[in-house]
Amino acid sequence: MLKIAFDRYPFKIESRKGIQYIFDEVRKRWIILSPEEWVRQNFLQYLVSQMNYPAKLIAVEKEFFVGELAKRGDLIVYNRDALPWMIVECKHMTEVLNSKVIKQILIYHQSLPAKYLVITNGSYTAAFVKISNMFQPVEALPAFAQ
């Protein structure tokens, strides 16, 4: 597992009729603040603010198809050629990162072949790089390829 320390980011959060919303800086809209959304927004800001990944090359909850099934990738980071470079699957903080989560991201990889796969619940993060058609764990997230 990777050790990631999230910086405090000044999220815009507001309450409407007892429901909390967070402003998604990439999608440019207010989103219901669920436990999974909290992890997604923190990881997104980690990639952009701390790792210097270009926000314009990150898609949030991107819809794609695996066969005829519509799926949504939490965070898809594209390279400068507009090809998937990294897929990030976010879970809420109490969900265990187990083989079920790994299987889910591998299924996503079938339609969005990316060099890096990342799973996180905010507390724990695991990342893998594809080398010779096999995924190997990495000890740190890569710098964004310029």
Side-chain angles (χ1 to χ4, degrees), residues 13-30:
I13 298 174
E14 64 179 40
S15 185
R16 299 181 203 157
K17 297 182 181 178
I19 298 172
Q20 283 196 314
Y21 289 80
I22 188 167
F23 188 75
D24 183 312
E25 301 284 341
V26 172
R27 292 182 278 183
K28 304 292 187 213
R29 62 186 174 106
W30 291 93

Side-chain angles (χ1 to χ4, degrees), residues 2-145:
L2 306 180
K3 186 69 174 165
I4 294 179
F6 297 114
D7 282 349
R8 291 188 182 264
Y9 184 78
F11 291 108
K12 296 175 191 168
I13 298 174
E14 64 179 40
S15 185
R16 299 181 203 157
K17 297 182 181 178
I19 298 172
Q20 283 196 314
Y21 289 80
I22 188 167
F23 188 75
D24 183 312
E25 301 284 341
V26 172
R27 292 182 278 183
K28 304 292 187 213
R29 62 186 174 106
W30 291 93
I31 306 295
I32 292 175
L33 182 53
S34 67
E36 183 176 317
E37 190 63 43
W38 180 246
V39 172
R40 183 172 24 254
Q41 290 301 317
N42 273 278
F43 205 84
L44 174 60
Q45 287 308 318
Y46 171 76
L47 292 177
V48 173
S49 300
Q50 292 175 247
M51 296 293 294
N52 298 312
Y53 286 29
K56 66 182 180 181
L57 296 179
I58 301 174
V60 181
E61 287 207 304
K62 172 75 174 166
E63 185 176 65
F64 61 94
F65 289 87
V66 177
E68 294 181 7
L69 297 174
K71 300 290 184 181
R72 287 192 186 274
D74 285 314
L75 302 171
I76 311 297
V77 181
Y78 293 89
N79 64 20
R80 300 227 182 257
D81 295 323
L83 298 172
W85 180 69
M86 176 185 286
I87 303 170
V88 180
E89 179 59 28
C90 301
K91 299 297 182 186
H92 59 81
M93 293 182 85
T94 60
E95 189 165 342
V96 177
L97 299 179
N98 56 21
S99 61
K100 180 180 172 186
V101 179
I102 292 172
K103 182 178 178 183
Q104 179 183 0
I105 202 165
L106 286 172
I107 289 170
Y108 291 1
H109 182 265
Q110 292 174 1
S111 292
L112 297 173
K115 183 174 182 173
Y116 292 94
L117 301 181
V118 179
I119 57 175
T120 185
N121 65 8
S123 297
Y124 300 99
T125 301
F128 307 89
V129 61
K130 188 173 186 180
I131 300 172
S132 301
N133 287 330
M134 294 186 67
F135 282 99
Q136 306 291 326
V138 296
E139 294 182 17
L141 290 182
F144 185 77

